[in-house]
Amino acid sequence: MGMHNRTYWRDDNSGRFGGGGGSYGGGGMSMGLPKPGPAVGGLLITNIVMFVIQHIVPATDVWLTVIPAYWWEAWRYITFQFLHGSVFHILFNMIGLYFLGNYLERAWGAKRFLTFYLVCGAFAGLTHVVLTFLFNWNPDIPLLGASGGVYAVIIACAILFPGIQLILMFFPVPIRFAALLFFIISFLSLLSGDGGGVSHAAHFGGMVLGGAWVWLTPKIKQASADAQAKVQQGVWEKKMRNEQATRAEIDKILDKIKQKGIGSLSNKEKKILQDATEQQRREDARINKL
C-alpha cells in the first residue's frame, strides 16, 4: 500500500509540533523535530527492522502478508502492517506515523493509541480481503504495508486536531481537506477498480474505522453514562419509595402500640418492627464510624 502525494506536517496553532521551543512534549530532538512517544517509537523501529528482515529472508512475505486466499490465518492481519515493498513505501508511511501519530499518542496515551493503530490496520486488511472476494479480484496477491493504520491516524487527527495543516503538493492545506481528499481518492479508485498496485480497499477500510472510532466513541460513552445514570436514578427512586412505605407501616405499628399496647401486635408486625430497629442500629453504627 502507498499514500499518494505524501506530505510533511506542521501545526498552525503553534507553528511547531506541540510548541515548547521546538519540542514535542518536552525533551525535543535536534532540528526542532518532535520526540516520538513509546508507541510511535516502537512502531517505527519495528517497521524498519521488519523491512530489513523481509529483504534478507524472502519467505517473510509468504508467511506474514495478508493473502485473501488464506484469509483465515489471523496473524497476518497484524504482521502485514510491518512489511513494505520499497524504500519509498516505508518512508512515506513512517513519515505519516511519526508526525501525526505523536498527536494521538500524546492525547490518548501509548496503550490506547497502539490499540487504535493496530486494530484499524487489521480492519484495513480485512476490508481488502472482503472486497477481493466481492469484486472477484485475484486472491493470491499479497497485501502489505502500514497505510491502513496511517490513514486511520490521518482521519483521527482531522477530527480531533483540525488546526493541523499538511503541505500537500507544496501547498499548505487544512488536514480535514487533505483527509477528505484522500478518502474520495480511495473511494473512487475502489469503485473504478484502478488499483495501480495500491490497495485502495485497505486505505478506505482504515479511514472508515478510524473515523468511526474517534467520532462514535465519545457518543457511545455518553450514551452509556446516561443509561447508567438512569438506572442508578431508578434504583434510588425505588429505594426511596420502599423506605417511605416502610416508614408509613412502622408509623401505623407505633400508633397501634400507643392505642392498644405491644401485645396487640401480630407476629408479622413484630418482625417488621424488629427489622426496622436492627436496620436503624446498623445505620447508627455506620455513622459513628465516619
Side-chain angles (χ1 to χ4, degrees):
M1 292 182 287
M3 287 177 60
H4 297 292
N5 302 325
R6 298 303 181 99
T7 58
Y8 294 95
W9 283 262
R10 67 183 178 88
D11 186 345
D12 260 6
N13 294 330
S14 64
R16 295 173 182 263
F17 298 101
S23 66
Y24 192 98
M29 300 172 63
S30 61
M31 299 174 62
L33 294 176
K35 180 180 180 180
V40 170
L43 288 170
L44 292 172
I45 293 172
T46 303
N47 274 275
I48 293 171
V49 170
M50 289 304 299
F51 182 74
V52 173
I53 291 175
Q54 76 177 106
H55 287 83
I56 296 175
V57 184
T60 304
D61 288 0
V62 176
W63 293 106
L64 301 184
T65 56
V66 166
I67 302 176
Y70 300 95
W71 59 267
W72 61 88
E73 295 179 346
W75 71 85
R76 294 178 181 271
Y77 295 98
I78 297 297
T79 56
F80 90 100
Q81 301 179 52
F82 298 96
L83 305 178
H84 292 84
S86 68
V87 172
F88 285 107
H89 190 192
I90 187 172
L91 176 63
F92 291 139
N93 276 331
M94 294 306 98
I95 288 175
L97 174 62
Y98 172 67
F99 285 115
L100 291 181
N102 272 325
Y103 282 97
L104 296 180
E105 182 173 353
R106 186 178 65 173
W108 291 346
K111 183 177 180 181
R112 183 180 172 188
F113 168 72
L114 188 61
T115 300
F116 170 83
Y117 175 84
L118 293 177
V119 170
C120 289
F123 185 80
L126 182 62
T127 302
H128 173 82
V129 169
V130 170
L131 294 182
T132 291
F133 291 110
L134 182 63
F135 293 127
N136 198 31
W137 298 335
N138 188 344
D140 295 317
I141 297 178
L143 172 72
L144 72 167
S147 296
V150 172
Y151 267 74
V153 169
I154 292 173
I155 193 70
C157 285
I159 295 172
L160 298 175
F161 308 109
I164 296 174
Q165 288 204 345
L166 310 186
I167 307 303
L168 185 62
M169 297 293 291
F170 306 107
F171 295 99
V173 297
I175 188 172
R176 289 187 173 178
F177 174 83
L180 179 61
L181 181 63
F182 291 153
F183 183 84
I184 292 174
I185 290 174
S186 297
F187 182 69
L188 294 180
S189 299
L190 178 62
L191 293 180
S192 67
D194 181 18
V198 176
S199 177
H200 296 288
H203 293 177
F204 180 76
M207 294 193 81
V208 167
L209 183 59
W213 187 311
V214 175
W215 187 69
L216 291 177
T217 296
K219 298 181 182 299
I220 293 173
K221 287 183 177 180
Q222 185 60 50
S224 177
D226 292 344
Q228 186 175 5
K230 288 182 180 179
V231 170
Q232 292 176 344
Q233 180 67 23
V235 171
W236 175 257
E237 290 176 352
K238 182 178 180 180
K239 180 181 179 181
M240 291 297 100
R241 288 195 298 269
N242 291 339
E243 289 184 357
Q244 289 173 357
T246 300
R247 283 196 297 268
E249 194 166 9
I250 291 174
D251 288 342
K252 291 180 180 179
I253 294 173
L254 294 176
D255 288 340
K256 186 175 181 180
I257 293 173
K258 184 177 180 180
Q259 295 173 7
K260 301 180 181 180
I262 195 170
S264 64
L265 299 182
S266 65
N267 290 335
K268 180 179 179 181
E269 291 171 331
K270 291 179 181 179
K271 182 66 167 57
I272 292 173
L273 192 61
Q274 181 181 356
D275 290 345
T277 303
E278 182 61 28
Q279 176 65 30
Q280 186 62 48
R281 186 180 296 114
R282 289 196 298 268
E283 184 67 20
D284 291 342
R286 185 184 68 83
I287 294 175
N288 290 333
K289 290 180 179 179
L290 297 178

